[in-house]
Amino acid sequence: MSGKKMPVFKGKDLEYYNALMKVRNQLSGQIQGCIDDALDCTNTEKRGVTTHMADVSSDNFRHEMELQMLTENGNTVKLIDDAIERLANGEYGICMDCGKPISEARLMARPYAIFCIECKSRHEEMMKSR
């Protein structure tokens, strides 16, 4: 989030803000855990020199999965920060595609959603057809 002072949220906006921060804090903890794990040189079992080809492949696969997870979590944190900014600007909960309100159920399940369920479904169908 930018260095701007955040407004005080009330009512439903406070509920949305708290939901966003809950997910953000969970993801930040996961990201920090991955970083700490990657930098932990004391775990010799995990950091040992691998000589067997199967172990090398396994290590490479695990490393790729960790990088993918870090990237996805980082992208989601960015979506959350953008959602908090929209909340502060009074633009939260509006579909970025059609401009209609995003259902409360969707926002509670995925508080950083940028599309209503209909537009999200349409985007997913377009991705499948590629």
Side-chain angles (χ1 to χ4, degrees), residues 4 9 36 50 55-56 84 88 101 109-110 120-121 126 128:
K4 296 178 193 175
F9 297 111
D36 292 345
T50 305
D55 290 338
V56 170
I84 292 170
R110 187 169 298 250
K120 179 64 175 170
S121 296
M126 288 181 354
K128 287 180 188 176

Side-chain angles (χ1 to χ4, degrees), residues 73-118:
N73 286 354
N75 290 341
T76 303
V77 167
K78 172 71 171 112
L79 287 172
I80 291 168
D81 288 345
D82 291 347
I84 292 170
E85 194 166 313
R86 287 193 308 276
L87 187 62
N89 294 334
E91 301 165 353
Y92 180 77
I94 305 298
C95 179
M96 297 281 232
D97 221 11
C98 69
K100 294 179 183 173
I102 300 171
S103 72
E104 185 173 340
R106 177 154 170 73
L107 290 174
M108 292 316 281
R110 187 169 298 250
Y112 49 89
I114 60 172
F115 299 120
C116 67
I117 214 64
E118 292 82 14

Side-chain angles (χ1 to χ4, degrees), residues 7 10 13 23-24 38 43 46 52 58-59 80 86 91 99 103 111 117-118 124 130:
K10 296 178 183 175
D13 286 352
V23 176
R24 190 181 196 289
N43 188 344
K46 192 172 184 181
H52 192 277
S58 180
D59 287 349
I80 291 168
R86 287 193 308 276
E91 301 165 353
S103 72
I117 214 64
E118 292 82 14
E124 287 175 356
R130 285 187 178 179

